[in-house]
Amino acid sequence: MTAAPVPTLATPVPVPLDVERLRSDFPILGQPVRGKPLVYLDNAATSQKPQVVIDAVTRFYASENANIHRGVHFLSERATLAYDAVREKVARFLNAGSAREIIFTRGTTESINLVAQSFGRAVLRPGDEVLITGMEHHSNIVPWQLVCEQTGARLRAIPITDTGELDLEAFDRLLGERTRLLALAHLSNALGTINPVRDLVARAHARGIPVLVDGAQSAPHLGVDLQALDCDFFACSGHKMFGPTGVGVLYGREALLERMPPWQGGGDMIASVTLERSTWAPVPAKFEAGTPMIAEVIGLGAAVDYLSAVGLTAVAAWEHELLAVASQRVGDIEGVRLVGTAPAKASVLSFVMEGVHPHDIGTVLDDEGIAIRAGHHCAQPVMQRFGVPATARASFAAYNTLEEVDALVRGLRRVRQVFG
């Protein structure tokens, strides 16, 4: 597990956040939906944005906009400094060893595809294996299926238990001589399970196997310390951590990034170009071809500042409280079954209700101004494992309140009444 102590549902912790003051930073939370106060519980899909992030993006376009790295004029130099400063900021936020290990992408999905197409295609041979888990988001399944088809490698998956935890005995059996990479989620988007990533990284490294961690759900909710985690790649998305859409981060161990070929070609990623051949810029520029998402990176920097000021330890503690209370109260509703009951969880509450499709749950709750997600959550193998086509999912962020948990419970009781 990463640096910040992660509470389990069995270990309540104090609540230090001033949630009401924090909510005032998010203008969208003050608007009604369908005539009711908005209760936004779809944070695993995307989080809302504080005013400081909105202002940072607006200010960039209003008074700072220019392309970076290629201009000698004032605006370009200022934009370049601001963009590169965010790389330093993200490296500190994640405790990477160096800002050179931080690559900006469009999001977690692109980060994983980058590793699959650059690292994966370079090292995988017919008969080699890539090991994932049965609780992965499609973005940590499909890129590996593609590269396995391209190289003749084989994709294998660690099964999960009835509580939604990894089967660690199976993990030890599957981690074999042909395994060339382990790729797994830090925090399951469909179940909320926090995987024991630090321990799994150590087991893989003992066999010389590099590890990619999908941190799309963990970066906004847990304190991530990459040096403590010791993984080789880590991917996360800005929009799930109060930042803009369209920007993400790939951390890569510098020695590996140096050996990996570029995965896209174009401007800014080259050292020299002739009509016969090209040479590559040093990392991280080697992996950032073309004009990047400059305003989005600036917004990500503001989000990182905001999350750092709030404090991930406080965020994790408050979200633990919300999840513990919601799990108890939703689980007590007649006909409701929680999907994913691991002791170590964060942020995500998935459930089904007997005789009611999750989409109907979502529709009735929407009438009450409550936004949840209903579906397979881009994790169809998880649904298959638990024998359901879909679940309803409430997912929490630091700005949610216990009163909103009450609203969710009232809404679900109304669902129960509507569908008998």
Side-chain angles (χ1 to χ4, degrees), residues 386-405:
F386 287 94
V388 295
T391 71
R393 183 187 69 185
S395 53
F396 300 97
Y399 44 64
N400 289 126
T401 67
L402 290 172
E403 288 74 19
E404 291 180 319
V405 173

Side-chain angles (χ1 to χ4, degrees), residues 268-307:
D268 218 29
M269 51 75 69
I270 53 85
S272 66
V273 177
T274 68
L275 292 179
E276 289 74 31
R277 66 183 298 271
S278 301
T279 59
W280 317 129
V283 296
K286 180 170 71 172
F287 297 103
E288 295 182 5
T291 296
M293 43 284 164
I294 305 167
E296 289 79 2
V297 168
I298 301 300
L300 174 62
V304 166
D305 284 341
Y306 185 84
L307 263 177

Side-chain angles (χ1 to χ4, degrees), residues 98 111 118 303 328 377:
S98 163
S111 296
S118 177
Q328 179 67 49
H377 316 301

Side-chain angles (χ1 to χ4, degrees), residues 280-345:
W280 317 129
V283 296
K286 180 170 71 172
F287 297 103
E288 295 182 5
T291 296
M293 43 284 164
I294 305 167
E296 289 79 2
V297 168
I298 301 300
L300 174 62
V304 166
D305 284 341
Y306 185 84
L307 263 177
S308 299
V310 173
L312 266 298
T313 300
V315 168
W318 176 236
E319 292 178 1
H320 163 267
E321 179 76 6
L322 292 168
L323 182 60
V325 172
S327 298
Q328 179 67 49
R329 298 195 58 196
V330 171
D332 285 345
I333 296 172
E334 180 185 356
V336 166
R337 175 167 64 92
L338 304 185
V339 178
T341 55
K345 287 185 60 178

Side-chain angles (χ1 to χ4, degrees), residues 91-127:
R92 288 193 297 273
F93 181 72
L94 298 174
N95 197 26
S98 163
R100 293 187 299 276
E101 298 177 316
I102 300 298
I103 298 164
F104 291 125
T105 65
R106 290 186 300 152
T108 301
T109 297
E110 185 170 275
S111 296
I112 296 172
N113 274 276
L114 190 163
V115 176
Q117 289 302 312
S118 177
F119 176 84
R121 289 193 74 167
V123 305
L124 292 174
R125 300 289 180 270

Side-chain angles (χ1 to χ4, degrees), residues 1 23 33 64 70 88 112 115 176 201 226 309 353 375 411 416:
M1 194 54 265
R23 286 177 64 83
V33 169
E64 301 169 356
R70 292 184 282 275
E88 298 278 353
I112 296 172
V115 176
V201 169
L226 290 175
M353 183 181 286
R416 187 72 278 171

Side-chain angles (χ1 to χ4, degrees), residues 4 14 45 83 121 142 151 188 193 197 245 276 298 342-343 372 380-381 392 420:
Y83 180 91
R121 289 193 74 167
V142 180
T151 61
S188 165
T193 305
V197 168
T245 54
E276 289 74 31
I298 301 300
I372 66 161
Q380 290 185 6

